[in-house]
Amino acid sequence: MTPKKEDYLKIIFELGGKQKKVANKQLAMALGVAAGSVTEMVGKLVKEGLVAHTPYAGISLTAKGRTIAERLVRRHRLWEVFLTDKLGYDLSDVHDDAEVLEHVTSENLMDHLEKFLDYPDQCPHGGVIPPKDGGDYQEGSHMVLADIADGTTVTVERFIDNRDLLKYMGDIDLKLGEQILVIDHAPFEGPITLKVVATGETTTVGFKAAHYVFVK
């Protein structure tokens, strides 16, 4: 399997494709590619039995696709934990090196790494680390900040695994676990104004970025 196909499976998983349909537009935005590229790759993944595609509804992982995605996500997120907790990486810098490491690591090394890290259940940006055996586990929220109505208070639970997004979250100082009040959605896909409940400070999040901040 090519790295590009693996990237598609991982992002479909991150966007909730284990449980629901993910829109082509979501994939295009998350991967930074054209809609036509998504359509072409999804067609290939369907032929290989890795995803199911329902026109005008979206894409979801098949059982085969879920197994591969969970294995890839487990490897990637365990390396992210190691890089941040043990080597002091900034959150926005871990993705690229974790991407390399996940492809060159044996299962034996992954097992030892997981034990060394004391079996973490989340990566540094809030994503669940699937168990090796693929058994039942509690997925995080797939409710995105962009869809939250004005006047609603939510808790920031997870950021999508994207270097630019993680750097942006650091720049605006929006942290995991913070309670935020959604004040206003600017028209025409403008920024969303938020208030951090603990400090009373206000900030804004871009409309696109708000699709990759998961809240509960």
Side-chain angles (χ1 to χ4, degrees):
M1 179 177 295
T2 66
K4 184 173 291 188
K5 289 179 181 178
E6 292 178 343
D7 287 344
Y8 269 79
L9 293 179
K10 286 190 295 184
I11 202 67
I12 293 168
F13 176 88
E14 280 210 71
L15 294 173
K18 179 181 174 182
Q19 299 177 343
K20 65 174 188 176
K21 297 287 186 182
V22 176
N24 285 39
K25 182 179 179 181
Q26 283 182 284
L27 290 181
M29 289 176 64
L31 292 167
V33 299
S37 298
V38 171
T39 300
E40 181 181 354
M41 179 58 76
V42 167
K44 293 177 181 179
L45 296 175
V46 168
K47 288 181 180 178
E48 294 180 26
L50 299 172
V51 304
H53 179 223
T54 304
Y56 308 108
I59 304 129
S60 60
L61 295 167
T62 63
K64 180 181 176 183
R66 284 197 302 272
T67 298
I68 295 172
E70 288 173 344
R71 176 177 60 82
L72 291 167
V73 168
R74 171 178 174 265
R75 287 166 165 259
H76 188 91
R77 291 179 176 174
L78 283 172
W79 277 120
E80 288 185 328
V81 173
F82 176 79
L83 293 172
T84 54
D85 289 5
K86 305 304 179 183
L87 298 187
Y89 272 55
D90 289 336
L91 182 57
S92 61
D93 292 333
V94 297
H95 174 75
D96 290 347
D97 284 346
E99 186 81 13
V100 173
L101 290 165
E102 73 180 75
H103 293 294
V104 295
T105 309
S106 68
E107 278 301 314
N108 185 43
L109 177 53
M110 291 311 306
D111 291 343
H112 282 78
L113 180 65
E114 187 174 34
K115 181 178 180 181
F116 173 72
L117 295 171
D118 196 24
Y119 303 97
D121 56 11
Q122 284 190 337
C123 73
H125 52 84
V128 65
I129 299 176
K132 179 184 177 182
D133 61 8
D136 292 335
Y137 57 93
Q138 184 65 44
E139 284 195 79
S141 169
H142 294 114
M143 182 166 54
V144 297
L145 177 59
D147 293 339
I148 303 302
D150 294 348
T152 304
T153 299
V154 293
T155 301
V156 179
E157 183 180 62
R158 177 168 63 96
F159 303 134
I160 205 169
D161 193 2
N162 177 281
R163 184 182 186 279
D164 291 338
L165 178 77
L166 295 173
K167 185 176 185 304
Y168 177 59
M169 291 297 107
D171 290 344
I172 66 173
D173 201 28
L174 187 63
K175 299 181 179 67
L176 296 175
E178 282 187 327
Q179 274 198 317
I180 53 174
L181 170 65
V182 179
I183 297 175
D184 176 65
H185 287 65
F188 300 106
E189 299 187 352
I192 299 170
T193 303
L194 314 170
K195 181 171 77 172
V196 178
V197 173
T199 64
E201 295 180 354
T202 60
T203 188
T204 58
V205 176
F207 182 76
K208 180 179 178 181
H211 283 81
Y212 305 113
V213 177
F214 297 88
V215 298
K216 61 180 180 179

